[in-house]
Amino acid sequence: MTDLLQLSLVVNGEPVDAHVQPRLNLADFLREHMKLTGTHIGCEHGVCGACTVRVNGDIVRACLMLAVQTQNASVETIEGLSDSGEIADLQLAFRDRNVLQCGFCTPGMLMAAQDLLRQSPAPDREQIREHLSGNYCRCTGYHAIVDAIEATARARGERRP
Ligand code: FES
Ligand code: FES
């Protein structure tokens, strides 16, 4: 059996120390060690976006990153963004437009959408589609997702002083 490696990081603002297999990916670490099952696993090879999380402020595919690569990093999951209220308006917009169908893609979609809105507060529909092009949804046809993000961007713009 491979020796376990010591891992120290911050997950959703809380310091975490763990011992992990070197080959353990970040998605499995979050789901199995941290019980943060909002990070979903679809394709396991970087295509579907279901496993999207933030590492040091940037979104990444948690299935393509080893847990040990997050040594001393700050990792944020959908639970963290949800609990802090950072994406409360986006979540409401998804609910209002019936974007939550099976819900499998939703955590990754929300992570990617919030990433776009942080970088580009007033994106057009083409930019929204481009930014979500790495996140697959088998239920919605994407139109309602784009509507929800566009509406959230508009509402945030109206709230800005
Ligand atoms: S599970 Fe990571 S991109 Fe699909
Ligand atoms: S809501 Fe089912 S995959 Fe997107």
Side-chain angles (χ1 to χ4, degrees):
M1 179 163 161
T2 321
D3 286 343
L4 297 180
L5 299 179
Q6 205 272 335
L7 173 64
S8 298
L9 72 164
V10 173
V11 179
N12 295 331
E14 298 290 330
V16 172
D17 289 297
H19 289 87
V20 300
Q21 295 270 356
R23 63 181 173 76
L24 182 72
N25 72 42
L26 179 59
D28 287 337
F29 173 74
L30 292 168
R31 290 178 56 84
E32 291 167 18
H33 286 242
M34 303 298 302
K35 306 300 179 203
L36 293 169
T37 53
T39 298
H40 289 168
I41 297 176
C43 65
E44 291 188 87
H45 62 275
V47 175
C48 74
C51 64
T52 304
V53 298
R54 267 190 207 153
V55 175
N56 292 333
D58 294 321
I59 54 171
V60 301
R61 306 282 202 232
C63 71
L64 293 185
M65 193 162 191
L66 294 171
V68 292
Q69 290 177 285
T70 63
Q71 177 76 345
N72 298 324
S74 169
V75 175
E76 292 166 279
T77 68
I78 190 64
E79 289 88 350
L81 268 62
S82 183
D83 289 350
S84 71
E86 178 181 335
I87 56 167
D89 54 350
L90 198 50
Q91 289 170 303
L92 276 178
F94 269 47
R95 190 196 66 186
D96 290 347
R97 283 163 183 77
N98 199 25
V99 177
L100 304 151
Q101 293 189 20
C102 82
F104 193 83
C105 70
T106 308
M109 283 288 180
L110 288 166
M111 297 294 300
Q114 177 65 358
D115 182 66
L116 170 64
L117 294 178
R118 293 206 310 170
Q119 293 175 34
S120 176
D124 62 27
R125 293 181 74 84
E126 203 45 50
Q127 284 175 289
I128 296 171
R129 285 187 178 277
E130 174 68 27
H131 203 81
L132 297 185
S133 60
N135 290 74
Y136 289 3
C137 176
R138 293 185 166 214
C139 305
T140 65
Y142 301 100
H143 200 79
I145 298 175
V146 176
D147 287 348
I149 297 167
E150 192 178 40
T152 304
R154 201 179 312 118
R156 288 186 186 181
E158 286 165 6
R159 288 198 297 273
R160 266 192 293 277

